[in-house]
Amino acid sequence: MMRTKLVAGNWKMNGSRAQTDSLLRDLRAALDGSPPCEVLVCPGFPYLQQAGELLAGSGIRLGAQNLAVEDAGAFTGEVSGPMLADLGCEYVLVGHSERRSLFGEDSDTVAKKYVAAQRGGLKPVLCVGESLEEREAGTTERVIGEQLRAVLELAGVDSLASAVIAYEPVWAIGTGRTASPEQAQAVHAFVRGLVAENNGIIADSVRVLYGGSVKSSNAGDLFSMPDVDGGLVGGASLDAQDFAGICRAGGH
Ligand code: 13P
């Protein structure tokens, strides 16, 4: 199965109107009118509309970083899946490690957000990953298995036909300490194997991205691994040239 690589930029809580404008203009120019693989950018909520306008006709897709469990109602400060779809988002991150560790999202909440995304017509990018202590304690597979099973139990394996999984080891996020291609491949193969226990065809087609200190200088090696189907990029996605280089690595 040939899986088209996906390179996704997670801007996190960064940016301004001016930065959104220059970053997306520079990215379009750097990609020369046609993305070399599937490319996605996830700005903060206030910039989604502006980003959507700047990306029109570029082939670059728009996504958000989080969504509410509910679709509408008295949930002050929340942003729902239907609102994001209305703004032109195709994707939304769910269960990013920062949401889990800093904002108390457990695997049940993440599973509900995953379902809410699909109900709203969005493709969830389900983030999973272990902390350094969990890796050192040898519990990486147990942790990731629990994170993935919570979603499979609520949404069913077939839901992965319109979703993406992102493996982001917490110890590699924003630390400059990238997982080696072999370390990433081992976990990606485990994730795909877990999906295959439920449905072999879906396991073969679902994309599993790697995230954690991806840069244009290491993306090629990571993306050459058989089960690494692209990247979820934080810091380097704020630099148009670096991000474009990662996108090009996804095109080979
Ligand atoms: P960095 O690329 O900055 O390590 O961030 C990774 C990440 O968390 C993307 O979601």
Side-chain angles (χ1 to χ4, degrees):
M1 153 69 84
M2 251 317 274
R3 294 179 294 265
T4 305
K5 289 207 169 33
L6 171 62
V7 173
N10 172 12
W11 293 6
K12 309 194 180 182
M13 198 174 72
N14 294 294
S16 61
R17 285 198 289 175
Q19 205 181 349
T20 300
D21 190 80
S22 60
L23 184 48
L24 294 180
R25 282 181 202 281
D26 290 352
L27 180 62
R28 282 187 74 149
L31 294 180
D32 221 5
S34 75
C37 62
E38 192 174 348
V39 175
L40 166 68
V41 293
C42 302
F45 292 139
Y47 305 113
L48 287 172
Q49 164 129 9
Q50 181 196 2
E53 286 163 7
L54 285 159
L55 293 176
S58 69
I60 299 170
R61 298 171 202 280
L62 183 67
Q65 300 170 17
N66 183 30
L67 83 166
V69 168
E70 309 288 346
D71 290 346
F75 303 101
T76 302
E78 291 289 280
V79 176
S80 72
M83 290 175 178
L84 298 173
D86 191 31
L87 282 170
C89 291
E90 285 180 60
Y91 287 90
V92 62
L93 309 183
V94 298
H96 190 279
S97 70
E98 287 148 22
R99 300 296 321 167
R100 294 179 192 261
S101 68
L102 302 173
F103 300 99
E105 290 189 15
D106 60 16
S107 287
D108 287 342
T109 303
V110 172
K112 285 182 188 146
K113 291 190 171 194
Y114 175 101
V115 168
Q118 292 195 327
R119 195 170 61 234
L122 301 162
K123 291 179 201 139
V125 178
L126 171 66
C127 305
V128 298
E130 83 289 2
S131 68
L132 185 59
E133 304 79 77
E134 289 163 342
R135 173 162 284 260
E136 286 175 347
T139 58
T140 297
E141 295 192 352
R142 189 161 63 73
V143 169
I144 289 166
E146 181 268 333
Q147 292 170 339
L148 200 53
R149 276 191 204 96
V151 167
L152 292 178
E153 278 166 22
L154 190 68
V157 68
D158 290 354
S159 72
L160 286 173
S162 45
V164 174
I165 300 170
Y167 168 55
E168 297 204 304
V170 176
W171 47 271
I173 295 178
T175 57
R177 185 177 162 193
T178 319
S180 69
E182 293 73 23
Q183 281 174 320
Q185 169 57 28
V187 177
H188 284 230
F190 167 75
V191 167
R192 202 179 302 286
L194 237 167
V195 177
E197 285 173 17
N198 296 275
N199 186 323
I201 293 167
I202 299 271
D204 207 30
S205 63
V206 70
R207 289 178 293 186
V208 185
L209 313 184
Y210 167 78
S213 300
V214 177
K215 302 182 263 299
S216 54
S217 56
N218 59 28
D221 287 343
L222 286 160
F223 296 175
S224 69
M225 303 312 283
D227 288 299
V228 178
D229 305 310
L232 180 54
V233 184
S237 75
L238 297 170
D239 180 308
Q241 300 311 324
D242 208 5
F243 189 62
I246 300 169
C247 297
R248 278 192 288 277
H252 297 146

